[in-house]
Amino acid sequence: MLNFFSSSTRMVNTARGVQECLEAAMGSDYAKSDLLIFHASIGHDFEELVNEAARLAPKARIVAASCCGVVGREGVSESMKDIALMAVQGKEFSMVSCDQIYGLNSYEKSLDMAKTLKAQDANINMLYFLASGIDIANDQCIKAFEEVFGSEVTIFGATSSDNMKGNISYQAVDTTVTEHGAYLIGFSDPTLKIETQATHGFVAIGEPLVVTKSEGHIIKEFNGKPAWSEYLNRLGLVNGSTCGDTIPIGALGEKLNAQLAKEYGNEHLLRVVTKHEGDDMHYATTIKEGTELWLTTRDEELIFSEMDRMVQDIKDRMKGSDTVAVFHADCLARGRFLFNRIIKEELVGKMQFPFYVNGECPPWLGMYGFGEFARLGGENEYHNYTTALYVIYR
Amino acid sequence: MNRYLLIDDDEVITMIHPAIIRRVDKDCHIDISKQSYEALDFLNKQLAEGNNPPDFIFLDINMPMINGFQFLDKLSDQLIEFLRNSQVVMLSSSVDPRDIEKAKHYPIVKDFISKPLSIEYINTILNKESHK
Amino acid sequence: MEEQLSYEELYKKYQDLHLRVTRFSSIEQALINARDKLDQELVLYKKLNDFNSQGLKSKEINQFLKLVVESVIDIFEVEIGYVTFQPFDEGHKLISTNNRLVCVEGAGQNERQVLEELDFLIDHNIFGGKIKLFDSSEIIDFLPEAFFSSCLISKRLNIGLFGELVIACGIGRKKAANYKAFDSRSLTLFTVFVQQIEAYLSNMLAVKKNKEQLELISKSELELKKLSLIATRTKSGVIISDKYGKIEWVNNSFIETTGYTLEEVKGRKPKEFLQTDDPLSENAKKELSYALAQKKAVEVIIQNTNKTGGLYYIQLEITPIFNEEQELLNFIAIQKDISEEFRYKKQLENINSRFELITQGANIGIWENDIINHKTAWNDVLMELYGVRDEIDDALYDVWKDSIHPDDFVKLNNDLQELYTGKISITDSEYRIILKKKDNKECFVRSLAIAEKDENNRVIRILGTTVDITEAHYAEQRLLEKNEELIKINGELDQFVYSVSHDLRSPLLSIKGILSLINTSENEEERLMYLSLIAKSVDRLDTTVLEILDYSRNARLQNIITELNFKELIDNIFGDLAYIADENVDLRLVMECPEMVHMDKPRMDILMKNLISNGIKYRRQSNEVSYVEVKLQSDSEHFYITISDNGEGIKAENQEKVFDMFYRASTTSAGTGLGLYICKDIISKLNGKMILMSEFSKGTVIKLTLPKINKNESLSPN
C-alpha cells in the first residue's frame, strides 16, 4: 500500500531546502521513504538537489523536474527558489527514464520506456509521466504509452519548464540530471484509483490561423505566410520577440467537438509554442496541415467558474471517497503572469479546499510547468494553459 | 763405679765439687765440662763410642753463651734416650722459683738444688741409687 | 445617403478590427506585467525587511555572512552570491580563524571557477574602487572564458579596525536568459544593500568587542569579589595603600591585631605607627624603604607594635599594583603574625649556636650526606681539618674520598656499605687520611656515622662526626712504646737483680763449699789450697760489689765536668791494671791533642778502666805480644777516643749482645758481664757514641765520640 507525504518551501540554499522538505513531509523518518518526487524552480541547482536527497534518503528512488513555481499544502509560491516534494512510502511502483527526448523522437523514446516499465511490473494501474517541456511531441508519447498499457491506464503528469523563457529545463532521475530527459513512474497499488481533469478559461478570438504547411510537430506556414512572423503579427509583437513574449498571450486553440467541448467546458483545446527556429514553430503535438488554430484571450470569470466546475466534477466521480494524494499541474501562464498574487492565492485555495480530508489539505504536489496530461472524453490527452488535477483516492 | 759429669763454668766450683763428691764416693769417675757445648761434644762422643752414660750429671744453670736450660734444649732425642737412666741435677746459685718451675718442664731433670753440692746431698743420691 | 463602403474597405476595416482584437492580449499582458512588477516590489520590500530583522538578530559573523549571501541571491534574483571578509589582525578574537572568510551560495558545480573569477576581479581592483556592475562584455574583456554573464561587485569596504569586506553577486551565462538583466536600479539597490551590510557588520563587531570587554570586566569584578572576600576573611592583616603609601583600606584582621580602626589609620603611612626600635628589625626596615621607593615587591620579617604597645613579629609582604600603562596605583601589604614562630626560630638558633660552639671547642667535625639530592655539608671544623675552604658541596665528598689512606679504604668502604644498605645503623671507624691540601700529611681520624631512613626504610641521609685523633693515636703509640721500653727495663732490672744476686752469691756459695771441704779435710796442704780458693772467691765478690758501685754511681750522679789530664788518667789506669796484665801486654797511649781536657772525670775513669781492662782480659794467649792502645784525638766539636787491641775479638753474632747486661761472650774472663753495659750507659749519659769493630781471633777496636763541653756547662742526660 502506498502512502503519500508532501511539503513545499522557498529556500535559497538548495540543500537546506531539500532537508526542510523531507523533514516537513515525513518528520524524522524521511530516510524510510521509497520514492521522492521533487519539483523545484529554475534557480535551484538540480545536481545539488538530488545529491542531497540521495544523501539524506539513500534507499529512496528520486525524481525531480524544474518548473516556474510550486503548489503545495502550504499554498502557492512562484519564485526562483521554490522547492516541493511528494514522498511516497511503499513498494508498489516502478520507474523508467530516458534522455534526449525531442519532438522528433518522442514516439520511439516513449515506446521504449513503456515497454521497459511494463516488463518491470505488469500490474501498473496508473502512469506518472514527466518530460522535458521544450520541444516534445506529447501526443506521440501518449500514443506510445497506450500501445503498451492500453488506454485504461490513466496517464497523468506534466512537462518541465523554466521561468517561462523557454531557455532550459531540467529533469533528474536518482542522481542523474538531464535537460531533455523524461521519466515514467508506474504505480501498481491495486487499492488506489485516480481521477484526472483539466480546465482552462480562455476564449478564442478572431479568425483562426490555418496551418498551410507543417512537418510533424513543426508548423511552417500559417495562411500561406511564414508561421512565426504571421503569429507575431497577429499578436502585435515586434520581430525579434521570443517565446517568452508569445507564451502568455499566444495560446493557440484547437476546436473540440461538441461533446468534448461540453465536458471540457470550452470549445477549444489549447496548445503552447515553446520553441521556434526562424519561422518554424515547434508545436506541442503533431499537427496536420489544414488545422485551424485560434488565438485566444483570458476570461477571468470563466477561469474561476470552470475551476469550480472541474473540482466538482472530480468530486462527483470520486463518489465520496477520501483523497489520498493530489498531483497538480498548472500552466505557468496561469501563474503570476496571469494573476496577481491575491487572486492567484484565492484560486489555489478554492481549488484545494474541496479535497480537504478531516479539515486538512491532503498531500499535494503541484507545479507550474509547460504542459499537463489529463483525460478528456475518456482518452488520455495532453493539455496546455490548463489547471489539471490528478486526484488519487481509495 | 759411678760416673759423674759436672757441667759448670765457675773455676772454683769445678775445683770443689769433685772434692766434695770424692769425699763420699771415693772411687768414681768425674768428667768436667766448662761449657755447654763441651758437654754436648763429650756426651755425643760417649754415645758414639758405646760407652756408658754418666750416672749423675750436675748441670749449672748460669753459664755464658749457653745456659743450663739451653743445654737441655740442645739435647737430641738420642742423647735423651742415652741419658734415660742418668740423674740430671740442676744447680743454681739463686733459688729462683721461676727456674725451679722451668726445670720441672724437663723430664730429664730429676732434681734442682742450690750450690754448692754438699756431702749430705751426695749421700742422699747415692743411697737412692743403691736402693734401686 | 450613407455611402456604401466597398467590400474591400469593409474587409480592410474588418481585418483592422480583427487585428485590434488579437492584439488586445498583448496590451493586456503589459498591464499584467506592470501589476506583477508592483507585486514584486512588495515582495522585494518584504525580502529586505526579512533581511533586516534577521541581520539584527545575527550574533555570529559566520552566520551573518551566510545570511548575506542568501539574501543577495533572493533579493536581487541572481544565481550566485559571494562575500569575502579579510581581517586586518590575523589573530583577532572577534573573527573566525580563517584568514579570509568567504561565503558563496549558488555556485554549485562551478564553484571554483566562480571563486577564481570573482577573486580575480576583486584582487585586481579593476573596477577602480566603485561599486560596479559588470556586464558580459566587460567580463569577457578580463576573462575570456568567463562563467559569468554579468555581476555586481562592491568595492573593498573597511569595517572599522577589523578588516575588509567585499560583496558580489552575479548570473552565469548558461542560465542568463532565465534571469532579469541588471540595470541601474539594480546598481542603486545593491549599493544601498552593501552599505547596510557594512553597517551591520561594523555594529556586530563593535558589539562583540564590547561584549568581550564587558565579559572581561565582569570577570575582573568576580575576581575582585573573590579577592575582597579573601582579604576580609583571612587571618592575615591586609592593608591597601595608595601610591604614596597612605592607607586606603584595612581588613578586619588588621584591626583586630593592631587595635586600630580604619578611621584612625586612614591616610597615614603604616610605618609611622607600626614600626619599632627593635634592633633585629633594622635591616628589614631598610629593605622595606628601598623596595617601596623602587616600587618593587618585598618580603621581610619585622617587629611591629599594636595600639597598646604590645610587640610582635610579623612576616610582611608588600606588592605594588600597576595599571595597563604601568603606572603605580596601589600597594597591597599582607602581614602575618609570626611571633610564635619567631620565638621558636630564635630558640633554635640559640641551640644551634651553642651546638656550634661545643663542636668548635671540642674540635668535632660534623658532616652530612644527603643521598637523595647528592649534597654534602661539612662544618667549619671538618673543613679546617681537610684544609678545604671554598669547595662546593659536591666536591666535598670527593675530597673526603680521595684522602682516605689506600690501606684503610676497603674496610671503611665495607663499613659504609653496610650503613648505606641499612644493615647497620651506626658505624664507628678509625682510619688514616692523607691530607692532600696539607702536604700529604697523614692523620688519624675517627668517624661515627648514622644512617637516617625515610618511612620506607630507605636510607636517605648519612650524618656523623669526624674527630682528628692523630695526637691521641701517636700518644697511644708512644705509650705503647714506653710500655714496652718499661717492660724491657723491668726485664733488665730483673735480669740485673738476678745476675747480681747470682754473682754475689756464687763466690759466697763457693766459700761455703770450700768450708765444708776444709772441715772434712785431713790434709794441711789441702786445707791451704782450699783457703786460697776462698781468697779467690772473696776477690771475686769484691770485684762484683765494686762494679755494682760503679754502675750505681754512673746511674745516679750528675755529670761533673772538670778539667782533667787525660794522659795522667790513662797512665793511672794502666798502673792499676798492671797486675792483671803482665809483660806480654803492651799498654800504649797515643795523644794527638792537648792533655788537658774538660770531661766528666769519674765517668771517664770508669769508662776507660773498663774498656782497657777488657782489652787486657781478653787478650789472645797465642799472641807473642798483646797490646792495648788508647788514642785521643779531637776537633772543634768532638773528642775521639780509640781503644784497640789484638785480643780474642768478638764473634760477629755476639757483637751487639756484648753491651747487654751481664752478657759474657767469653768464658775466659771472670767478669760479671756488666762492664760493657756500664760503658754504654756512660757514653749515653755523655751524649756520645760508641762503635765496636771486632774480628774474632784478630782484635777489637772501640771508637768513642764525645762532644766537647764548656767548663761550666753540665750536660743533661739523654
Side-chain angles (χ1 to χ4, degrees):
Chain A
M1 201 166 89
L2 294 172
N3 287 315
F4 295 85
F5 310 88
S6 79
S7 63
S8 66
T9 184
R10 195 177 81 84
M11 187 141 320
V12 171
N13 184 293
T14 309
R16 269 215 321 278
V18 168
Q19 174 139 24
E20 205 172 286
C21 279
L22 281 168
E23 282 173 3
M26 287 183 77
S28 48
D29 292 337
Y30 52 77
K32 291 187 187 163
S33 56
D34 297 296
L35 172 63
L36 300 171
I37 305 172
F38 284 98
H39 291 322
S41 308
I42 202 81
H44 280 293
D45 185 328
F46 275 76
E47 290 267 1
E48 205 182 325
L49 193 156
V50 292
N51 279 321
E52 180 68 3
R55 187 181 74 83
L56 293 171
K59 289 193 300 175
R61 301 296 309 266
I62 303 165
V63 289
S66 67
C67 57
C68 191
V70 298
V71 180
R73 305 168 59 184
E74 300 81 1
V76 59
S77 177
E78 283 177 282
S79 73
M80 296 291 269
K81 292 286 188 179
D82 307 310
I83 177 166
L85 165 69
M86 182 75 84
V88 185
Q89 212 173 354
K91 303 291 182 197
E92 299 95 327
F93 73 93
S94 32
M95 212 161 93
V96 70
S97 66
C98 73
D99 191 13
Q100 303 299 310
I101 183 166
Y102 296 97
L104 287 173
N105 60 6
S106 300
Y107 175 75
E108 287 79 14
K109 287 279 183 180
S110 303
L111 193 65
D112 275 338
M113 282 202 288
K115 283 185 180 161
T116 312
L117 196 66
K118 183 84 192 262
Q120 279 181 30
D121 190 345
N123 297 321
I124 290 169
N125 55 15
M126 56 183 82
L127 287 167
Y128 179 59
F129 178 56
L130 201 133
S132 147
I134 299 170
D135 188 17
I136 186 166
N138 295 287
D139 59 334
Q140 296 301 307
C141 301
I142 294 173
K143 185 168 162 207
F145 296 150
E146 284 186 343
E147 250 181 62
V148 173
F149 288 96
S151 55
E152 302 79 41
V153 174
T154 306
I155 302 167
F156 67 101
T159 57
S160 66
S161 67
D162 58 13
N163 55 348
M164 219 171 74
K165 307 295 188 210
N167 183 32
I168 190 167
S169 77
Y170 298 103
Q171 312 76 41
V173 175
D174 294 323
T175 51
T176 311
V177 177
T178 56
E179 289 170 20
H180 286 275
Y183 53 83
L184 185 67
I185 302 173
F187 294 107
S188 51
D189 183 342
T191 65
L192 290 177
K193 291 203 196 44
I194 187 166
E195 285 298 327
T196 68
Q197 191 161 340
T199 179
H200 70 82
F202 284 58
V203 288
I205 49 167
E207 301 280 322
L209 295 158
V210 183
V211 178
T212 48
K213 193 169 178 198
S214 73
E215 259 177 49
H217 70 293
I218 297 174
I219 304 171
K220 290 194 173 280
E221 278 182 12
F222 278 132
N223 299 359
K225 298 185 191 122
W228 180 252
S229 308
E230 180 58 19
Y231 184 53
L232 284 179
N233 182 38
R234 282 281 184 109
L235 289 172
L237 293 171
V238 296
N239 280 337
S241 299
T242 62
C243 289
D245 302 315
T246 61
I247 289 169
I249 53 175
L252 292 165
E254 289 179 28
K255 196 133 188 201
L256 292 168
N257 66 37
Q259 195 193 1
L260 288 176
K262 185 157 182 249
E263 189 192 317
Y264 206 38
N266 203 295
E267 288 184 359
H268 292 87
L269 181 67
L270 299 175
R271 291 279 180 256
V272 76
V273 173
T274 56
K275 186 171 167 189
H276 82 95
E277 272 170 15
D279 277 314
D280 290 346
M281 285 167 63
H282 290 240
Y283 197 62
T285 62
T286 50
I287 182 119
K288 288 205 293 264
E289 285 173 4
T291 316
E292 284 178 325
L293 298 175
W294 273 264
L295 291 171
T296 59
T297 188
R298 287 160 291 210
D299 186 330
E300 202 169 291
E301 258 187 61
L302 205 59
I303 287 169
F304 268 92
S305 58
E306 284 306 300
M307 165 77 78
D308 287 340
R309 195 180 68 85
M310 174 181 81
V311 166
Q312 193 56 51
D313 278 352
I314 293 173
K315 287 235 73 174
D316 288 341
R317 291 205 294 280
M318 277 164 70
K319 296 195 183 61
S321 307
D322 281 338
T323 310
V324 167
V326 178
F327 283 86
H328 162 211
D330 221 292
C331 186
L332 40 71
R334 283 169 65 97
R336 65 189 257 205
F337 301 102
L338 179 58
F339 299 114
N340 66 32
R341 210 161 39 86
I342 297 166
I343 295 191
K344 185 168 72 240
E345 281 173 16
E346 203 186 311
L347 198 63
V348 166
K350 281 186 85 151
M351 177 174 62
Q352 286 181 326
F353 186 72
F355 296 101
Y356 277 24
V357 177
N358 297 332
E360 266 187 33
C361 182
W364 192 290
L365 180 69
M367 65 178 265
Y368 284 93
F370 273 143
E372 309 78 50
F373 293 90
R375 279 197 190 273
L376 180 61
E379 303 278 323
N380 286 313
E381 182 60 81
Y382 175 69
H383 305 257
N384 282 124
Y385 293 99
T386 64
T387 295
L389 291 176
Y390 319 121
V391 183
I392 298 173
Y393 62 97
R394 286 204 169 90
Chain B
M1 181 166 68
N2 292 322
R3 301 169 69 83
Y4 297 86
L5 174 63
L6 301 180
I7 309 173
D8 201 317
D9 68 312
D10 189 321
E11 217 182 306
V12 175
I13 294 290
T14 49
M15 276 199 237
I16 62 175
H17 277 182
I20 291 171
I21 294 169
R22 288 210 177 85
R23 277 285 195 282
V24 182
D25 192 349
K26 291 190 179 14
D27 224 352
C28 65
H29 179 83
I30 302 175
D31 290 301
I32 300 172
S33 299
K34 287 257 177 76
Q35 288 188 59
S36 301
Y37 64 79
E38 259 184 56
L40 282 171
D41 286 344
F42 169 78
L43 286 170
N44 281 321
K45 189 163 170 234
Q46 294 300 302
L47 172 66
E49 287 174 3
N51 295 335
N52 289 331
D55 301 293
F56 298 98
I57 302 176
F58 293 108
L59 176 62
D60 184 19
I61 292 179
N62 202 331
M63 285 187 285
M65 287 192 277
I66 304 174
N67 66 25
F69 287 114
Q70 286 164 338
F71 165 78
L72 289 173
D73 290 333
K74 285 194 184 302
L75 286 178
S76 66
D77 291 336
Q78 286 172 297
L79 282 178
I80 290 172
E81 180 57 30
F82 184 53
L83 298 170
R84 69 182 182 286
N85 290 325
S86 308
Q87 300 272 59
V88 176
V89 179
M90 291 192 91
L91 276 75
S92 172
S93 50
S94 68
V95 194
D96 191 331
R98 284 177 292 185
D99 284 341
I100 297 172
E101 197 55 42
K102 201 171 171 183
K104 283 193 184 154
H105 288 115
Y106 294 85
I108 202 176
V109 174
K110 303 295 192 287
D111 207 348
F112 189 104
I113 56 171
S114 172
K115 283 192 197 166
L117 276 178
S118 66
I119 293 168
E120 288 76 29
Y121 185 74
I122 303 293
N123 269 325
T124 313
I125 59 171
L126 282 180
N127 285 335
K128 268 211 212 125
E129 266 300 302
S130 63
H131 283 145
K132 272 200 194 156
Chain C
M1 166 162 157
E2 281 170 356
E3 219 180 292
Q4 281 242 337
L5 292 165
S6 68
Y7 177 75
E8 293 82 10
E9 281 171 345
L10 270 172
Y11 190 69
K12 177 111 192 325
K13 279 202 166 82
Y14 172 71
Q15 273 185 324
D16 285 341
L17 192 65
H18 185 244
L19 269 176
R20 230 177 259 158
V21 165
T22 56
R23 285 177 183 176
F24 180 69
S25 301
S26 61
I27 296 165
E28 200 187 28
Q29 189 60 38
L31 264 171
I32 293 172
N33 286 345
R35 218 172 40 197
D36 184 53
K37 254 200 171 131
L38 264 169
D39 271 346
Q40 293 312 307
E41 289 298 309
L42 281 170
V43 169
L44 178 67
Y45 180 72
K46 187 161 171 289
K47 285 178 187 172
L48 282 167
N49 246 13
D50 282 341
F51 171 69
N52 276 338
S53 62
Q54 283 192 52
L56 282 169
K57 279 191 235 159
S58 295
K59 297 194 194 328
E60 277 290 320
I61 307 280
N62 296 358
Q63 186 194 20
F64 178 69
L65 291 178
K66 266 207 174 66
L67 173 69
V68 165
V69 291
E70 284 185 12
S71 302
V72 149
I73 290 173
D74 206 20
I75 291 167
F76 294 92
E77 291 191 310
V78 292
E79 195 177 340
I80 295 168
Y82 174 97
V83 171
T84 160
F85 182 87
Q86 180 132 29
F88 291 140
D89 171 5
E90 312 246 334
H92 209 297
K93 280 177 280 196
L94 296 178
I95 298 154
S96 149
T97 51
N98 290 347
N99 278 350
R100 187 185 205 180
L101 192 62
V102 170
C103 267
V104 183
E105 181 62 51
Q109 294 271 35
N110 302 297
E111 187 150 324
R112 229 190 95 235
Q113 186 184 1
V114 164
L115 284 173
E116 280 170 10
E117 271 181 34
L118 280 170
D119 277 355
F120 181 88
L121 292 171
I122 294 162
D123 285 346
H124 288 74
N125 213 12
I126 293 166
F127 46 100
K130 291 187 280 204
I131 294 181
K132 180 96 166 108
L133 161 61
F134 281 99
D135 69 18
S136 51
S137 61
E138 270 180 295
I139 294 183
I140 291 169
D141 285 343
F142 301 127
L143 305 156
E145 299 291 316
F147 168 88
F148 285 105
S149 70
S150 62
C151 56
L152 280 166
I153 302 185
S154 77
K155 62 181 179 180
R156 286 184 200 277
L157 305 162
N158 199 317
I159 314 290
L161 299 165
F162 306 106
E164 267 188 351
L165 181 76
V166 171
I167 306 166
C169 64
I171 301 165
R173 275 202 227 255
K174 191 162 185 196
K175 286 194 188 168
N178 292 102
Y179 291 92
K180 214 163 56 198
F182 291 130
D183 54 18
S184 57
R185 183 170 163 275
S186 316
L187 190 62
T188 314
L189 193 64
F190 188 69
T191 311
V192 169
F193 184 69
V194 161
Q195 280 170 1
Q196 192 95 350
I197 292 169
E198 193 180 4
Y200 276 134
L201 207 57
S202 301
N203 194 45
M204 214 186 329
L205 291 168
V207 162
K208 207 160 187 182
K209 191 172 184 193
N210 276 350
K211 199 166 152 219
E212 280 183 11
Q213 281 185 342
L214 276 168
E215 269 175 26
L216 212 64
I217 288 171
S218 70
K219 235 167 130 190
S220 313
E221 266 177 18
L222 198 65
E223 287 293 311
L224 201 67
K225 275 209 185 91
K226 286 186 206 165
L227 287 168
S228 63
L229 206 67
I230 294 169
T232 326
R233 298 256 174 96
T234 180
K235 287 213 182 98
S236 302
V238 178
I239 304 175
I240 299 181
S241 55
D242 65 13
K243 59 185 174 189
Y244 302 109
K246 297 192 182 146
I247 295 178
E248 289 183 348
W249 178 84
V250 292
N251 75 342
N252 278 337
S253 295
F254 176 87
I255 294 167
E256 279 167 24
T257 318
T258 61
Y260 294 103
T261 63
L262 179 57
E263 288 70 40
E264 284 174 319
V265 300
K266 210 167 185 175
R268 294 170 69 187
K269 292 195 181 177
K271 71 175 181 189
E272 289 168 16
F273 55 94
L274 289 178
Q275 285 184 2
T276 65
D277 293 327
D278 177 35
L280 293 174
S281 301
E282 276 308 308
N283 280 341
K285 281 193 226 166
K286 286 192 189 131
E287 233 184 292
L288 266 178
S289 300
Y290 179 74
L292 293 177
Q294 297 288 317
K295 297 179 188 163
K296 283 198 165 55
V298 66
E299 188 183 321
V300 296
I301 292 176
I302 190 173
Q303 194 189 56
N304 266 9
T305 174
N306 61 18
K307 195 171 181 187
T308 54
L311 301 172
Y312 56 98
Y313 281 94
I314 56 162
Q315 182 184 26
L316 179 63
E317 270 178 64
I318 300 187
T319 314
I321 307 290
F322 301 96
N323 67 5
E324 279 183 359
E325 279 88 47
Q326 297 305 313
E327 291 170 344
L328 180 65
L329 295 174
N330 297 91
F331 285 103
I332 296 183
I334 301 176
Q335 51 193 57
K336 189 171 152 207
D337 188 333
I338 55 161
S339 302
E340 278 289 302
E341 291 165 37
F342 197 74
R343 244 210 322 280
Y344 288 140
K345 197 165 157 214
K346 275 270 161 274
Q347 272 180 7
L348 206 67
E349 276 172 15
N350 281 344
I351 291 170
N352 265 359
S353 53
R354 269 183 259 154
F355 185 69
E356 285 279 317
L357 276 170
I358 292 170
T359 54
Q360 290 274 28
N363 242 4
I364 299 174
I366 299 180
W367 49 270
E368 182 180 306
N369 267 353
D370 184 335
I371 297 182
I372 308 294
N373 299 325
H374 299 287
K375 278 198 190 321
T376 306
W378 288 6
N379 75 342
D380 291 340
V381 171
L382 195 59
M383 287 203 167
E384 172 64 36
L385 170 65
Y386 279 83
V388 153
R389 251 187 319 163
D390 293 320
E391 311 286 334
I392 51 173
D393 289 351
D394 297 351
L396 289 175
Y397 181 80
D398 292 329
V399 166
W400 169 76
K401 199 159 164 224
D402 290 340
S403 58
I404 302 172
H405 195 288
D407 296 341
D408 295 334
F409 187 82
V410 174
K411 172 150 194 317
L412 183 64
N413 201 36
N414 282 346
D415 287 346
L416 289 174
Q417 282 308 317
E418 300 211 309
L419 197 64
Y420 282 129
T421 57
K423 271 204 192 135
I424 51 175
S425 316
I426 300 183
T427 61
D428 185 350
S429 321
E430 280 182 25
Y431 54 96
R432 285 162 287 174
I433 56 173
I434 299 170
L435 298 175
K436 304 219 163 94
K437 294 189 191 286
K438 291 187 178 179
D439 280 332
N440 288 341
K441 174 173 158 195
E442 193 178 283
C443 281
F444 283 83
V445 295
R446 182 175 172 197
S447 285
L448 206 70
I450 301 176
E452 185 183 316
K453 300 183 185 163
D454 65 5
E455 58 271 12
N456 297 324
N457 249 1
R458 246 183 353 145
V459 174
I460 56 169
R461 211 195 329 247
I462 312 275
L463 41 121
T465 57
T466 297
V467 180
D468 184 353
I469 56 168
T470 314
E471 272 298 305
H473 187 93
Y474 286 138
E476 207 181 301
Q477 291 278 70
R478 281 199 296 276
L479 199 67
L480 284 169
E481 277 168 26
K482 279 268 188 284
N483 249 13
E484 274 177 35
E485 215 183 296
L486 214 61
I487 290 169
K488 183 165 162 242
I489 290 172
N490 261 0
E492 280 179 357
L493 203 66
D494 282 343
Q495 181 71 14
F496 178 76
V497 164
Y498 180 79
S499 294
V500 158
S501 70
H502 175 275
D503 282 353
L504 284 173
R505 286 196 78 214
S506 275
L508 288 171
L509 296 170
S510 298
I511 292 168
K512 250 175 101 176
I514 297 167
L515 284 172
S516 73
L517 280 172
I518 289 177
N519 272 343
T520 53
S521 173
E522 287 156 12
N523 195 328
E524 186 67 30
E525 209 179 298
E526 207 178 66
R527 281 203 287 273
L528 278 174
M529 195 228 345
Y530 289 146
L531 283 171
S532 76
L533 280 178
I534 289 172
K536 220 174 187 171
S537 292
V538 166
D539 278 336
R540 241 180 82 195
L541 189 59
D542 196 30
T543 313
T544 303
V545 171
L546 283 171
E547 277 184 353
I548 290 169
L549 269 169
D550 280 345
Y551 171 75
S552 167
R553 248 186 253 139
N554 178 53
R556 286 184 189 283
L557 279 183
Q558 280 203 358
N559 299 9
I560 303 169
I561 312 299
T562 55
E563 199 179 5
L564 75 96
N565 188 327
F566 192 80
K567 182 175 184 301
E568 216 177 271
L569 179 89
I570 301 298
D571 282 340
N572 282 343
I573 292 170
F574 281 165
D576 287 342
L577 293 175
Y579 76 96
I580 57 168
D582 49 40
E583 283 80 40
N584 284 340
V585 183
D586 183 17
L587 301 172
R588 302 203 283 261
L589 173 64
V590 175
M591 296 289 292
E592 288 182 10
C593 72
E595 303 169 347
M596 301 307 289
V597 295
H598 283 105
M599 291 183 189
D600 181 334
K601 185 164 191 248
R603 285 202 170 86
M604 284 307 295
D605 194 29
I606 295 168
L607 179 69
M608 296 314 297
K609 198 189 313 188
N610 266 297
L611 291 176
I612 295 166
S613 81
N614 274 353
I616 298 168
K617 270 196 251 177
Y618 297 104
R619 67 184 179 279
R620 199 145 49 90
Q621 299 293 356
S622 57
N623 281 349
E624 285 228 359
V625 181
S626 300
Y627 70 86
V628 178
E629 183 189 279
V630 177
K631 184 157 45 165
L632 178 66
Q633 293 158 302
S634 73
D635 60 29
S636 57
E637 300 278 309
H638 295 97
F639 287 113
Y640 302 99
I641 304 170
T642 312
I643 303 108
S644 42
D645 66 51
N646 61 349
E648 293 173 345
I650 306 165
K651 282 187 189 163
E653 61 261 32
N654 295 333
Q655 281 177 21
E656 266 187 45
K657 297 186 206 168
V658 296
F659 295 101
D660 290 348
M661 240 191 197
F662 299 116
Y663 185 83
R664 277 184 283 136
S666 161
T667 48
T668 42
S669 81
T672 55
L674 259 181
L676 280 176
Y677 179 83
I678 292 169
C679 291
K680 190 172 99 177
D681 214 33
I682 289 173
I683 293 284
S684 89
K685 285 221 164 42
L686 295 177
N687 290 334
K689 290 203 201 76
M690 177 153 63
I691 300 173
L692 176 93
M693 290 176 289
S694 181
E695 203 182 321
F696 189 65
S697 300
K698 285 262 168 74
T700 303
V701 176
I702 295 176
K703 277 195 176 160
L704 306 174
T705 310
L706 297 170
K708 276 190 174 173
I709 7 120
N710 289 325
K711 190 154 65 160
N712 293 323
E713 227 178 271
S714 62
L715 290 163
S716 52
N718 268 0

